[in-house]
Amino acid sequence: MPAAGGMQGMQQGMMPMANGGMDEQHIKRVKQEGNNQQLLAKNTGTSLLECFELSQIRVHLDQIQTAAQQTKTAAQLPVNPGDDCKVCGLTKLTFEPPCIYCTQCGQRIKRGQIYHCTLLEPGCDFRGSWCHSCLSEHKGDKIPWEGNPTGMVRKADLQKKKNDDEIEEGWVQCDACESWVHQICGLFNKGKNDQNVHYLCPKCLILGLETGQREGIRVRPQAMLEAKDLPQNNLSMLLEQRVNRKLEEDRQARAVQQGVPPWEVPTAEGLTIRVINNVIKKCEVKQKFYEAFRGDGYAEAFIYRQRVVILFQKIDGVDVALYCMYVQEYGADCAPPNRNVVYLSYIDSVKYFRPELASHNGVSLRTYVYHQILQGYLDYVKRLGFEQMFIWACPPLAGDDYILYCHPSKQKTPRSDRLRAWYHDMLRKARAEDGSVCHISTLWDTFFEGGREHRLEKCSVTAIPYLEGDYWPGEAENLLLQISDA
């Protein structure tokens, strides 16, 4: 984003840069007309902190400063007075770099590794990336890529890069005190950045509230709506009501265990559940599998509904996305073997849930809530007529992520056996508490000869549900490729 007002060169109060110029992430404010008293009194929507009460802004400052003291490194400390952020006291803040995956083999390109990628062109919102091994495998001057209308891209057009980019947090200057703060430290709203509106840093917002020169925003503008303002539907209302009801039951049970009144027992607050994606999609059967079984009447594709459910918790005035769930629903009009099948394709979470304590049944309150969301969803789809849910319980490899690519360092990735136990605990509770689960099994035990519960008259891979992004379609395609090459 360019500096507001198109500032030229270096000016007094401008954040110095290593290259001697003005970085696009350093937003220099154009001084607004009027004195500081007028600036302090006006809300412009350029900071989420404008919606906060005085006590909430103070907590925000305290927590950022405490975190900065715990995580600071020598590279983040200011070299010259005035170079630091006036909120956290540090200089350089970098984001966790996003993962890059090879377009061909799908493997993660590690930090510091050389790779080749296409240039980001107008009208194309993604780029192809190839690790050195995959690029070397193609002896010609072109390599397959679906992002090009021709289906190919010239090797000579690829850019050679090293996966060592750092993305630095941007800065913004306060119009009142002219100090610089990190955009995240000041909860700056870039969408409202304009040379005709001013920005106030957290300390100036505190000053205005303390002196009575300003009042907080009573009605939030469109750019600052909360998670609860997102549209609701039947599923989100059912899940949210269930979680709140179960949390109250847990609170009552813990109160009895502790011998205290329920209101003295802490519990999770500020939770919001919304379905943020609800679309119809198509799962296309891979070429070799379809060619092998089309004679048996196997479908060429399966239509399904994708839903994405997110749990938010308001933490210190900000809605934080804690938990996300992707599901696929193959309805009664879908061809076998996917008819009336639900697939839990991904779940992911970040360990910021509050409070961190045990529920009445011994599991963490965080796990208790996540299980209740899954149990509520199982009950919901069973009432809609769905008969089976399939879960691929496989934790990501070290360095890989499923939905949220950055997790706090205190959060550990579960082992495979621990993750399966986590799902089994949830399914047993759903069977005992709701009756939404009648039977629990595995893919092997149900569909493969030799499985403990295999009851099919004819053992056939065409009886196994074919689900978008699942392990089985890819493995089946690889096996058919091996058979054809033999």
Side-chain angles (χ1 to χ4, degrees), residues 227 244 267-273 311-315 318-320:
N244 289 332
T267 190
E269 298 178 344
L271 300 180
T272 301
I273 298 176
L311 168 70
F312 300 91
Q313 185 175 28
K314 188 171 287 297
I315 300 175
V318 178
D319 288 302
V320 180

Side-chain angles (χ1 to χ4, degrees), residues 16 43 182 198 261 322 334 404 411 416 450:
N43 290 310
H182 293 119
H198 67 264
L322 299 178
C334 190
L404 308 166
Q411 184 171 349
S416 294

Side-chain angles (χ1 to χ4, degrees), residues 239 373-383 389 391 426-427 430 436-437:
L239 295 178
I373 293 174
L374 284 168
Q375 288 177 234
Y377 178 72
L378 280 166
D379 187 54
Y380 173 79
V381 291
K382 183 175 183 179
R383 294 175 187 273
M389 172 184 272
I391 304 172
M426 180 274 297
L427 293 170
S436 54
V437 173

Side-chain angles (χ1 to χ4, degrees), residues 156-168:
D157 294 335
L158 299 180
Q159 182 181 16
K160 184 178 180 180
K161 297 193 69 176
K162 187 176 183 180
N163 187 17
D164 59 357
D165 291 343
E166 284 191 343
I167 305 174
E168 185 179 348

